[in-house]
Amino acid sequence: MLYKTVAINLNQILIGKIKHIRVIESLDESDGCNFTGKALYEDVIERRIRLYDKDFTHQLHQVKNKNEFIDILKYYQVNAEYLLSGLLLHFEIHGDKDLQGLVLSSGELIPWQEIINNLRPINISNRNNLFITMGVCNGRFLYKGVNPYEKSPYSGYISASKSVSPEEIYISFSKLFE
C-alpha cells in the first residue's frame, strides 16, 4: 500500500474544535530519552494557553505503568461528557518495534486493540470530538486495533509511520501546538 504525504494547514482544521489538551507521557530517563511530552507541555502548550488562550484547559500526566495509563483513560471515559468542546490526547510513549502497541516506561506493552477499546468510550461520550496526536515511533499503526464494525475510537489522529527522534517530535509538535 502506498501512502501519500499531504501538507495541510492544521489551524484551519483544529480551530474551534479543541479546547482541552491533555499530554500523557511514559518515558524512562534511563534509556537516554528526552522528556519530550513534558517539554512540549511546559514550553509550548501551557505557556501559549497562559498567554493567549485562557479558555483552553490543559494537563500533563506522567505515568509509569499500564495500570496508571489505563486509569488516566478511564478518568477521561468518566469525564469526557464535560469536555464536549473538543479533547486532544497527546501521547509521548515509545512505540513497539514489532508494531504491536505502545511500550510504557515500565517496559509493559499495551496492544493497539486495548488502547482503542479504552479510547472508544471517551470518543462516544465526547460526541466524536476526541483527537489523538502521538509523539510515538510507529504510532500510525494504531489503526491495527480498530474494528471497522464498531463505533469510532477517535475523530482523527496524527502520528508517525516510522521511527522518529525526540528532536523531530519536539519540532513537529511544537508547530502543531503553536
Side-chain angles (χ1 to χ4, degrees):
M1 178 182 287
L2 296 175
Y3 292 96
K4 182 177 180 181
T5 303
V6 178
I8 57 175
N9 182 346
L10 294 172
N11 289 332
Q12 290 176 342
I13 294 171
L14 301 179
I15 285 180
K17 294 187 179 180
I18 295 175
K19 293 291 183 185
H20 312 283
I21 300 173
R22 304 300 189 259
V23 176
I24 302 172
E25 179 178 71
S26 186
L27 299 171
D28 186 6
E29 64 184 301
S30 68
D31 65 7
C33 185
N34 297 334
F35 288 95
T36 48
K38 183 177 180 184
L40 279 168
Y41 179 77
E42 291 176 349
D43 297 349
V44 182
I45 298 167
E46 182 181 41
R47 180 178 53 91
R48 182 162 178 85
I49 290 172
R50 192 173 353 105
L51 291 173
Y52 302 110
D53 299 314
K54 297 190 185 312
D55 59 334
F56 276 68
T57 68
H58 55 89
Q59 191 167 1
L60 170 66
H61 300 281
Q62 291 182 298
V63 299
K64 292 181 176 64
N65 57 48
K66 187 174 180 176
N67 286 338
E68 290 179 11
F69 180 81
I70 297 299
D71 284 348
I72 292 295
L73 294 182
K74 289 201 180 298
Y75 172 83
Y76 287 108
Q77 289 173 11
V78 171
N79 291 288
E81 66 184 291
Y82 304 109
L83 305 169
L84 293 177
S85 51
L87 171 62
L88 185 144
L89 294 180
H90 178 76
F91 297 117
E92 287 285 336
I93 302 170
H94 288 297
D96 178 49
K97 289 180 173 82
D98 295 326
L99 313 178
Q100 299 302 308
L102 298 177
V103 180
L104 301 170
S105 61
S106 63
E108 295 170 279
L109 173 72
I110 301 183
W112 295 126
Q113 187 173 9
E114 187 171 356
I115 296 164
I116 290 296
N117 289 340
N118 280 283
L119 293 175
R120 184 176 292 105
I122 300 170
N123 194 44
I124 291 169
S125 293
N126 195 256
R127 299 183 187 155
N128 199 36
N129 285 306
L130 174 63
F131 298 89
I132 306 296
T133 57
M134 302 174 77
V136 173
C137 293
N138 304 308
R140 181 80 38 90
F141 293 93
L142 176 67
Y143 81 88
K144 291 174 113 185
V146 175
N147 180 342
Y149 298 105
E150 294 182 16
K151 289 193 175 194
S152 179
Y154 44 73
S155 180
Y157 78 101
I158 299 171
S159 191
S161 58
K162 60 180 183 140
S163 292
V164 288
S165 70
E167 293 79 20
E168 289 174 301
I169 291 169
Y170 186 84
I171 291 168
S172 296
F173 283 105
S174 288
K175 290 176 186 174
L176 172 81
F177 289 122
E178 279 293 326

